[in-house]
């Protein structure tokens, strides 16, 4: 399944959507990145070490996304046994993209209700993460990032809808990995205090352009499904 309806490869599309979602990532996870940075003892905050820790945090986070993508896609293999079910999953994925766009632009916060579902699991994960702080070693940062990847996030849940529609565990993992890489620049910019880039990503105009682009992709996907629903 090509989630954009264009000739854009799905992995590239997922990466681009991760970039587009950078504004939301900074708003939701920027505080976490800052907290993790300041939790490192001052004597150890030299650039090389901080860069390694930030990469390790995000590598663990992206791995969690890939595990979730593979798991959800495995579920999709059970659901998409009929052509009608596959079409329904693709339509669901497109609708979730539209909701994601509205969320990114701050036009509608309905995905917060979806996030509430993940908070039950997060209650058990968060205390484990606290025991890993302060972070001073790369494996420790990787482990904390892997836990952080399960933070309730409507943006991630929207992307997992793609994995569900793809219905292939390997492809679902790769799709979420590409999406995670797309979110990386925004979070690294926050962790390294790159204020100019952070402000650009969070600017309302940037968020609106990203949202409109995603809505356009999603509507095209729904349009491409119309001939199949007519039968």
């Amino acid at each position: 399944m090509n989630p954009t309806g264009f000739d854009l490869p799905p992995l590239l599309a997922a990466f681009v959507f991760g970039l587009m979602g950078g504004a939301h990532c900074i708003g939701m996870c920027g505080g976490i990145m800052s907290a993790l940075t300041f939790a490192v003892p001052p004597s150890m905050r030299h650039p090389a070490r901080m860069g390694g820790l930030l990469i390790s945090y995000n590598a663990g986070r992206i791995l969690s996304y890939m595990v979730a993508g593979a798991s959800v896609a495995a579920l999709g293999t059970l659901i998409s046994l009929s052509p009608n079910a596959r079409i329904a999953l693709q339509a669901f994925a497109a609708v979730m993209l539209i909701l994601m766009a509205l969320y990114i632009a701050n036009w509608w916060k309905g995905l917060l209700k979806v996030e509430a579902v993940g908070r039950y699991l997060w209650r058990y994960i968060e205390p484990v993460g606290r025991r890993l702080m302060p972070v001073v070693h790369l494996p420790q940062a990787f482990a904390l990032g892997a836990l952080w990847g399960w933070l309730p996030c409507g943006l991630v849940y929207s992307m997992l809808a793609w994995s569900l529609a793809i219905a292939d565990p390997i492809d679902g993992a790769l799709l979420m990995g590409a999406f995670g890489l797309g979110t990386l620049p925004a979070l690294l910019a926050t962790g390294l205090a790159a204020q100019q880039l952070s402000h650009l990503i969070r600017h309302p105009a940037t968020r609106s352009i990203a949202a409109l682009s995603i809505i356009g992709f999603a509507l095209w996907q729904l349009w491409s499904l119309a001939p199949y629903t007519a039968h």
Side-chain angles (χ1 to χ4, degrees), residues 5-209:
F6 294 111
D7 291 330
L8 190 64
L11 293 183
L12 179 58
F15 178 80
V16 171
F17 287 170
L19 287 174
M20 291 177 175
H24 170 72
C25 293
I26 289 177
M28 183 170 185
C29 298
I32 296 176
M33 288 297 293
S34 297
L36 293 175
T37 299
F38 286 109
V40 176
S43 61
M44 304 179 67
R45 290 182 197 165
H46 51 83
R49 175 172 288 275
M50 291 307 305
L53 291 176
L54 290 174
I55 293 294
S56 295
Y57 287 138
N58 285 283
R61 176 178 63 88
I62 293 171
L63 178 62
S64 292
Y65 291 170
M66 296 180 70
V67 170
S71 301
V72 169
L75 176 62
T77 61
L78 301 178
I79 298 176
S80 61
L81 297 178
S82 69
N84 288 336
R86 286 195 293 271
I87 293 171
L89 286 178
Q90 293 181 37
F92 172 70
V95 170
M96 287 296 290
L97 284 180
I98 293 174
L99 296 182
M100 178 181 75
L102 298 176
Y103 191 33
I104 289 172
N106 287 323
W107 293 336
W108 187 65
K109 294 293 188 178
L111 277 183
L112 289 175
K113 297 181 180 179
V114 179
E115 287 183 1
V117 177
R119 293 194 187 112
Y120 294 104
L121 176 63
W122 184 244
R123 290 177 184 175
Y124 299 97
I125 296 176
E126 184 181 18
V128 179
R130 288 178 181 173
R131 290 198 289 269
L132 292 172
M133 297 178 68
V135 175
V136 293
H137 302 297
L138 296 184
Q140 191 179 5
F142 182 86
L144 186 57
L147 295 174
W148 169 23
W150 299 98
L151 179 73
C153 175
L155 186 62
V156 173
Y157 296 159
S158 297
M159 298 304 301
L160 286 174
W162 279 18
S163 296
L164 183 68
I166 286 176
D168 181 282
I170 295 177
D171 288 343
L174 292 176
L175 189 79
M176 291 304 296
F179 165 73
L181 289 175
T183 66
L184 192 57
L187 290 177
L188 286 180
T190 304
L192 295 173
Q195 294 297 325
Q196 291 182 340
L197 179 59
S198 296
H199 289 324
L200 175 63
I201 294 173
R202 298 180 68 174
H203 194 280
T206 305
R207 297 171 75 107
S208 296
I209 292 172

